[in-house]
Amino acid sequence: MSAPLAPRFSPPPLIDWAGIRADFPLIAGQDLIYFDNAASSQKPKVMLQAMEEMLSHSYANVHRGVHSLSQKATDQYEAARKTVARFINAADEAEVVFTSGATDSINTIAFSFGEAHIQPGDEILLSGMEHHANIVPWQLMAQRKGAVIKAIPVLDNGSLNLESLDALMGPKTKLLSLVWVSNSLGTVNPIPYIVQKAHAYGIPVLVDAAQAAPHMPLDVQAIDCDFMVFSAHKMCGPTGLGVLYGKRALFENLPPYRGGGDMIDRVSFEKTTFQGLPFRFEAGTPHILGAIAFAAVLDYLSNIGLGHIEERERQLSHSLRSQLKADFPQIQLIGTAPDSVSVVSFLLKGHHPLDVGVLLDNQKVAVRTGHHCCQPLMDRFGIPGTVRASLAFYNTEEEIQRFLLALRKTIHLLR
Ligand code: PLP
């Protein structure tokens, strides 16, 4: 098994990107340059319309009512689950659980898998570029169960040290939980290769796709991961909603994480029995409106084509990266892995990222500054944080040029 090479660019398809930008009310026709998409993306009109439609015509609680309105709402909520299953190519929609976000999804598996499978001395393998959401839940579980956390090291260019995998994986390794696309560096990890490698050791894999799902086609069966998580709000959908995919064989035998309504089969004071997938992991009233609006957004993204979205975002971020590299000797790029998408992280030498962010904001440029919830990664590079520009398909080359002008002015002001 050899590590895959970085993909090559192909010519852009003919798509009406200007028309697509017009679908986003907050940025259409505005002079705000919104380059903070990795934190949360903007919302298309179809999402607002789906919410209005649902609230005006089909709103009720789900799974509980015999009345027609509740059944209508239930049908739409369950149709949304099917849409997500199609979007990620799950074998069965019961493998798709709605959560409150990627963080909640990881906490669910960390707790449940920990309860079912972890003994003192067992190891959980992460990587040095994880978001805190994919570190802290495992630490909490490890403290409870006496497990040990290990991490795949990060190389100087911001890619993973794949040569360390064999030394890190062994009979004690009970799960690998790994980010697909780094939210701080934009590095795209070779997930299919790593999953194959982990499976050769009998290790199940959770893929944190929070920054991959917005930018590339997902196929959980092709990747063959055991769990995958992502958040709707980073892919043009609503906040407060996330997805937890789990391959049935492993997922259906895990114990529940939260207790309450919807996840029970029968309750008595002596004993409670639980539902199967997916309801076992959906305690309480779910985010009905969010799931239905998210399904409308997924259809919208699928109509554009995730492959086209990926192509465009790779081109935009490649353009930004190469111009920063060629024309700004004062800028240090953090993360120069051969394969990256959307995120461009950098430092202005001699200046704190926060100062750069504030001066850019004064020029109507929204970027993120700080540690991006990746403090171990910042420690690895010995820096307090970075300035992060993260692009989406509705951004434009013209915005990149205006961003670079604003950056020049910032450098001038800080001189
Ligand atoms: N994982 C990654 C890679 C992320 O970038 C984020 C958020 O930035 C998360 C997990 C957590 O997502 P959320 O806050 O939506 O739960």
Side-chain angles (χ1 to χ4, degrees):
M1 244 188 296
S2 60
L5 298 171
R8 304 172 72 87
F9 296 113
S10 52
L14 291 173
I15 288 182
D16 177 15
W17 293 110
I20 287 169
R21 185 177 170 91
D23 292 337
F24 290 79
L26 195 142
I27 50 167
Q30 305 292 325
D31 55 1
L32 167 73
I33 298 177
Y34 187 76
F35 280 1
D36 193 19
N37 295 287
S40 203
S41 56
Q42 295 302 334
K43 315 303 170 200
K45 278 183 256 175
V46 289
M47 175 177 135
L48 314 184
Q49 286 157 357
M51 285 184 155
E52 190 180 358
E53 171 74 19
M54 206 271 159
L55 291 174
S56 309
H57 301 291
S58 359
Y59 185 74
N61 209 334
V62 292
H63 300 146
R64 295 162 193 198
V66 288
H67 60 84
S68 319
L69 197 55
S70 172
Q71 281 174 12
K72 198 169 168 186
T74 303
D75 288 347
Q76 289 189 13
Y77 180 72
E78 290 307 321
R81 193 189 308 280
K82 284 199 175 101
T83 302
V84 174
R86 249 192 332 270
F87 190 80
I88 62 174
N89 194 31
D92 175 352
E93 72 254 23
E95 296 177 323
V96 172
V97 164
F98 286 120
T99 64
S100 72
T103 304
D104 189 30
S105 301
I106 297 171
N107 273 280
T108 302
I109 295 304
F111 179 88
S112 266
F113 188 87
E115 286 304 299
H117 296 292
I118 300 298
Q119 304 297 328
D122 283 347
E123 294 173 4
I124 301 293
L125 185 57
L126 309 176
S127 89
M129 64 172 77
E130 298 309 317
H131 188 281
H132 297 162
N134 197 27
I135 299 175
V136 184
W138 300 109
Q139 282 177 330
L140 293 174
M141 182 275 275
Q143 280 162 19
R144 235 181 24 251
K145 306 291 290 188
V148 177
I149 305 286
K150 295 205 161 175
I152 305 166
V154 176
L155 299 172
D156 288 345
N157 71 355
S159 47
L160 289 179
N161 181 352
L162 299 177
E163 284 173 14
S164 69
L165 290 179
D166 284 307
L168 286 165
M169 292 179 182
K172 284 190 176 171
T173 319
K174 290 297 180 287
L175 190 117
L176 166 63
S177 189
L178 186 65
V179 72
W180 193 343
V181 175
S182 157
N183 66 306
S184 300
L185 310 175
T187 305
V188 181
N189 291 320
I191 286 294
Y193 166 78
I194 297 173
V195 171
Q196 212 187 340
K197 184 121 191 135
H199 283 176
Y201 283 91
I203 302 166
V205 183
L206 182 152
V207 176
D208 175 358
Q211 300 291 346
H215 307 302
M216 55 183 71
L218 300 184
D219 184 335
V220 289
Q221 293 189 75
I223 297 160
D224 197 29
C225 59
D226 301 275
F227 301 103
M228 181 180 281
V229 308
F230 50 94
S231 293
H233 72 96
K234 292 185 193 290
M235 42 196 311
C236 305
T239 53
L241 184 84
V243 169
L244 166 56
Y245 158 81
K247 209 191 273 176
R248 184 183 274 281
L250 191 54
F251 202 16
E252 73 181 346
N253 294 315
L254 294 185
Y257 171 45
R258 293 200 180 90
D262 255 19
M263 50 77 78
I264 58 93
D265 166 43
R266 173 91 181 85
V267 179
S268 72
F269 280 110
E270 289 70 42
K271 181 180 163 67
T272 294
T273 52
F274 305 111
Q275 294 246 40
L277 292 177
F279 306 111
R280 175 187 299 207
F281 294 100
E282 290 184 8
T285 299
H287 191 355
I288 305 163
L289 184 63
I292 289 164
F294 187 41
V297 170
L298 292 184
D299 285 341
Y300 172 81
L301 297 178
S302 300
N303 276 340
I304 301 172
L306 266 291
H308 296 154
I309 286 174
E310 176 177 9
E311 198 73 52
R312 177 166 173 88
E313 291 175 345
R314 279 184 184 274
Q315 253 147 18
L316 288 172
S317 44
H318 177 73
S319 165
L320 176 54
R321 257 174 201 281
S322 47
Q323 292 182 73
L324 283 174
K325 214 161 137 188
D327 304 334
F328 289 81
Q330 319 85 331
I331 293 288
Q332 181 193 358
L333 287 171
I334 306 292
T336 52
D339 193 8
S340 71
V341 70
S342 172
V343 169
V344 181
S345 244
F346 63 89
L347 286 173
L348 176 56
K349 290 173 195 161
H351 296 283
H352 198 280
L354 188 68
D355 297 332
V356 179
V358 169
L359 289 174
L360 286 173
D361 181 53
N362 290 345
Q363 301 170 77
K364 294 201 166 183
V365 176
V367 291
R368 187 72 149 212
T369 62
H371 55 64
H372 316 300
C373 296
C374 290
Q375 283 179 333
L377 183 64
M378 299 299 129
D379 292 347
R380 155 70 180 84
F381 285 109
I383 55 177
T386 71
V387 181
R388 181 184 72 182
S390 54
L391 311 177
F393 55 92
Y394 45 64
N395 289 128
T396 64
E397 183 59 42
E398 190 248 323
E399 283 183 302
I400 291 178
Q401 296 313 319
R402 282 171 44 217
F403 168 80
L404 294 172
L405 270 180
L407 187 60
R408 272 202 196 290
K409 195 165 164 199
T410 301
I411 292 169
H412 182 73
L413 289 169
L414 285 170
R415 200 175 282 157

